[in-house]
Amino acid sequence: MTWSEMQPLLTQAGVETLIMVGWSTLVAVVVGLPVGVLLVLTGPGGLLRVPLAHRVLGQLVNVGRSMPFIILMVALMGFTRWLTGTTIGSTAAIVPLAIGGIPFFARLVETAVGEVDHGLVEAVQSMGAGTWSVVRKVLVPEALPSLVAATTTTVVALIGYSAMAGAVGGGGLGDLAVRYGYQRFETGLMWVTVAILAVAISLVQYAGDRTARSLRARAARPSPRVGRRRGRLVSVAGDADPIP
């Protein structure tokens, strides 16, 4: 297969992979972030301390994380067909990718938020801030560099999952490598696909690491973290939003 024959196939498969990873990452972050924060809040030493809820949520996350992605795809075929009308193609693959990414990202969020200085949380609470204010103005902003690193790790994992989805007709670069590279013995196309995936992962990792380092450097600059401004309590990083 010549390059001119490969190019349209690679372009279409690349776009499909981009769509699959983009949508599944969005769902994983939107759902996984509150799940991870809840794990911290309900756990030992958390602001809410609800052991039963923490155990149930933790077990659900553990079950989601322990299931191999290929098996998850097969197990979710009925739900995927009900939701998208099909079990084949990039649209259908978004469902198991998103569901597989949620517990993965939630555990990373739990670790990132759990590392926030508890003394800072207590200081803000002593000023009258409620749980929601602590989460919104302390936990998430302070953990932001780690959350960016967690998102980067999730994107890299989902790129790998999306390639695996190609083995069962999920579309994208993995599907192209299996159908043409393996089944039709187009070794050249398979190695080009592998190279594109490697470059994509390297670029995502580089961008994520650079963003996280920039946020950490900004957070390390000396600034009043919690205090009063014109008689009002102000949040971390010296912004002017009052803490209720």
Side-chain angles (χ1 to χ4, degrees):
M1 184 178 285
T2 63
W3 173 249
S4 59
E5 292 171 324
M6 290 183 194
Q7 197 171 13
L9 295 173
L10 290 168
T11 302
Q12 182 183 352
V15 170
E16 289 176 355
T17 296
L18 190 63
I19 292 171
M20 283 192 294
V21 174
W23 277 108
S24 56
T25 300
L26 179 64
V27 175
V29 170
V30 169
V31 180
L33 179 61
V35 171
V37 172
L38 271 176
L39 282 169
V40 175
L41 294 179
T42 57
L47 298 180
L48 300 178
R49 292 188 187 88
V50 186
L52 179 61
H54 179 76
R55 281 198 295 272
V56 171
L57 201 56
Q59 284 302 319
L60 289 175
V61 170
N62 287 341
V63 170
R65 285 202 61 192
S66 63
M67 192 172 291
F69 182 68
I70 288 288
I71 296 175
L72 181 68
M73 281 195 74
V74 174
L76 289 175
M77 276 186 173
F79 178 68
T80 301
R81 185 182 291 110
W82 173 77
L83 199 63
T84 65
T86 181
T87 58
I88 297 175
S90 54
T91 303
I94 291 173
V95 177
L97 282 171
I99 293 177
I102 289 170
F104 184 86
F105 185 69
R107 278 297 182 206
L108 296 177
V109 170
E110 182 188 16
T111 302
V113 173
E115 290 175 349
V116 173
D117 185 3
H118 197 67
L120 183 60
V121 174
E122 290 177 345
V124 176
Q125 279 186 302
S126 69
M127 295 176 182
T131 301
W132 170 240
S133 294
V134 171
V135 170
R136 190 165 56 92
K137 292 181 179 274
V138 180
L139 293 180
V140 173
E142 286 292 301
L144 191 57
S146 298
L147 292 177
V148 170
T151 305
T152 304
T153 304
T154 303
V155 172
V156 169
L158 288 175
I159 291 174
Y161 288 170
S162 72
M164 254 188 283
V168 290
L173 291 168
D175 185 47
L176 183 66
V178 170
R179 281 192 297 117
Y180 285 83
Y182 178 69
Q183 295 176 347
R184 301 185 187 183
F185 303 103
E186 294 287 351
T187 309
L189 177 61
M190 185 174 68
W191 283 112
V192 170
T193 305
V194 171
I196 291 174
L197 287 170
V199 169
I201 288 173
S202 298
L203 289 176
V204 169
Q205 191 67 57
Y206 173 77
D209 290 347
R210 191 177 175 85
T211 304
R213 279 199 300 271
S214 174
L215 289 171
R216 286 194 179 97
R218 188 181 302 174
R221 290 173 192 162
S223 63
R225 306 184 71 78
V226 178
R228 290 180 180 276
R229 181 177 296 172
R230 294 179 183 176
R232 297 183 305 172
L233 296 174
V234 296
S235 68
V236 296
D239 64 54
D241 295 334
I243 295 174

